[in-house]
Structures are given as structure tokens and as C-alpha cells.
Amino acid sequence: MATEAPMPAPAQPQAFANPHVNSSTATPAFRTPPKVPDVLTTIYSFPAMEPLRFVHYPANHLHLPLRRDILHRAVIFEGDATRQGTASTKWRNDVHGSGAKIRPQKGTGRARLGDKKSPMLRGGGVAFGPHPRDFSTKLPLKMYDLAWRTALSYRYRRGELILVEDGVDIEMNEPRWIKQIMERNHWGNADGRSLIVTKGVRENLFQAIAGTGEDGRAKTEDDIDVKDLLELGRIIIERSALDGILKDHSSDLNRIVPTALYS
């Protein structure tokens, strides 16, 4: 049998000023957020792929839960931004020609018709045709930054984020050299292709990858987006490039939590 009891009196939240305390004596303060656990990553040498050392990254950078909805919105946002929107057609007012009526309204037994610029005639205007427009959509910056780290976290948990030492390059720009590296490390077309991300342009590497495009792509840190992180089988990325991406896409992380203390 259920028993009733009076509800406890609600406690006064600390966020509101205490009426018995002078507001002039209230001193605002800041408390640091709780420490985020780290995840362990191995740095390899390129192209030998020998392990060099370990490095720790915060879990809110490389160990976020998978959010398909946020990734989908980020990919759509990037795709809309790349649409040119330059398709254009002429309406009847834009077509060059006379505006005189072609034939009388009645008496000919034929359909009613206006000038020769009518959309029903060849060479006339286009009814409801496309015109230049902006297809870009909006997405909150914090959500977009979260999508970047979510994509990297997805790759990290699946073992598809390979961190290498800075200065990734090969001696010659021959496609056969990079093809041998891809086949030896199982990065090629047979294993889902790979994306190599560098901090700057590596001439030999980029030319060799372009010569054997079926095995993967090579891009700089500034040329990739969320779709690139999800499209190919794995990501081989320089440490400085990864650090730069995480630095540029961490606006949603609160490093200082505001609070108030009352005496």
C-alpha cells in the first residue's frame, strides 16, 4: 500500500543571490572542468612504419561516441557549400524579340497565343527554369567542430587512424614507389584505399599518388573536410596535421566553467 509523504522543501540554488548576503560582497570565480581521460596513440615512421613512441590525446578529441546525425549534417553542409548555383535560363521578358501578338485572338481556329517569346514556342522563354541562387546552408560552428572530432574518433576506435611522424615524403615521384608502399602496408585499392594527410605540400608524394589514383589520395591539412575523413578506408596523418585539426575544431569544448561563490 502506497504511503504519502510531504514533498521536501526545495533547496535554494547557489546561482541566485542570497537575500541575507550583500550582493556587493559576492565574488565571482571560475572552476576548471573535471579532467578528461587520455587515449594512447602510437607514432610510426614513414614509410618503414616502425613504431617510434606513444602519445596521449584527450578522450574528447579521439574517443567520442559515434553521432551519425551530426556527421550527416556536416557532410550535407559541406556539399551545399560546394554547389555553384550558376544554372540560369531566360524567361520570356529576357528573350530578345518583339512583343507583338503573333495572330488574332479569335477567328483562326487555332489556340490562343501571344508573342513569339512564349514558353510554348521554340526559341521562347523557359517557364520555371533555374536561376542563379545560393545553395549553402547554415550549421552551428560548435556542431561542425564536434563532427570533425567525431569522425576522427570513429576512425581511431576502428584502428583506421594511423599517426606518422612529420615530414612524410618519398625520394622520387615515381608511382611505382608509392604503390609498393601501399601494397606492403595493405593500404591500396584492394584494402579500401587510403588518405594521406600532411601539414604542407610534399611534391614527390603528391605526384606519385596522383599517378596511381586507384590506391588513394594525398591532401594537405587545409584541403580536407569531414567527408574526406569518412570516405576512404583509412587515414595516414602527420602528427602536426592532426594537432592542427584538433586545435582548429575544438570551439565546443568549455575549458573554463563559470560559477559564483558567495560569502
Side-chain angles (χ1 to χ4, degrees):
M1 182 177 178
T3 58
E4 296 183 0
M7 296 182 62
Q12 184 178 4
Q14 295 182 357
F16 298 94
N18 191 337
H20 301 289
V21 178
N22 187 3
S23 60
S24 61
T25 61
T27 58
F30 293 91
R31 59 182 175 87
T32 57
K35 180 176 176 54
V36 178
D38 294 336
V39 293
L40 188 65
T41 308
T42 306
I43 298 182
Y44 297 91
S45 62
F46 185 90
M49 297 307 298
E50 297 180 354
L52 300 179
R53 60 186 182 278
F54 296 106
V55 62
H56 295 268
Y57 282 95
N60 55 7
H61 283 177
L62 291 182
H63 207 271
L64 293 174
L66 179 60
R67 291 287 305 273
R68 297 179 183 271
D69 55 335
I70 292 181
L71 294 177
H72 177 264
R73 292 191 61 177
V75 172
I76 296 300
F77 167 73
E78 294 171 348
D80 291 342
T82 58
R83 297 187 65 177
Q84 294 183 353
T86 56
S88 180
T89 55
K90 291 184 179 181
W91 177 231
R92 62 189 307 166
N93 294 333
D94 302 325
V95 177
H96 178 73
S98 173
K101 191 174 178 63
I102 292 179
R103 55 176 176 258
Q105 181 79 355
K106 296 180 179 293
T108 62
R110 303 177 67 182
R112 294 169 292 185
L113 193 61
D115 55 25
K116 64 179 182 180
K117 298 181 292 183
S118 171
M120 295 183 295
L121 299 179
R122 181 179 180 181
V126 179
F128 309 109
H131 296 282
R133 55 171 293 190
D134 183 13
F135 284 97
S136 62
T137 55
K138 294 183 179 180
L139 186 68
L141 177 61
K142 292 184 177 181
M143 184 178 296
Y144 186 54
D145 289 348
L146 179 60
W148 274 85
R149 301 198 319 277
T150 301
L152 291 172
S153 300
Y154 171 75
R155 290 299 195 180
Y156 173 81
R157 287 197 305 272
R158 292 172 59 92
E160 297 171 349
L161 182 66
I162 303 173
L163 196 61
V164 296
E165 191 59 86
D166 295 344
V168 172
D169 205 352
I170 56 179
E171 296 180 358
M172 293 182 292
N173 57 0
E174 292 292 336
R176 60 188 179 93
W177 290 104
I178 193 65
K179 193 173 186 63
Q180 292 177 1
I181 296 174
M182 292 289 191
E183 291 178 355
R184 185 185 63 183
N185 296 308
H186 302 284
W187 294 347
N189 189 22
D191 300 284
R193 306 174 69 197
S194 301
L195 173 66
I196 301 178
V197 183
T198 60
K199 185 69 175 179
V201 178
R202 307 288 190 264
E203 295 292 343
N204 293 338
L205 177 65
F206 282 34
Q207 293 179 9
I209 287 287
T212 173
E214 71 275 3
D215 289 326
R217 295 197 295 263
K219 293 187 176 183
T220 61
E221 169 197 350
D222 300 330
D223 294 336
I224 63 172
D225 51 21
V226 176
K227 183 180 179 180
D228 292 328
L229 299 179
L230 301 171
E231 194 170 14
L232 301 185
R234 68 197 51 80
I235 302 172
I236 300 99
I237 184 171
E238 292 182 354
R239 180 185 178 182
S240 59
L242 179 61
D243 294 342
I245 292 174
L246 295 176
K247 180 180 178 182
D248 295 337
H249 299 285
S250 58
S251 63
D252 58 312
L253 300 179
N254 286 330
R255 295 175 175 82
I256 298 179
V257 180
T259 184
L261 302 176
Y262 300 97
S263 58

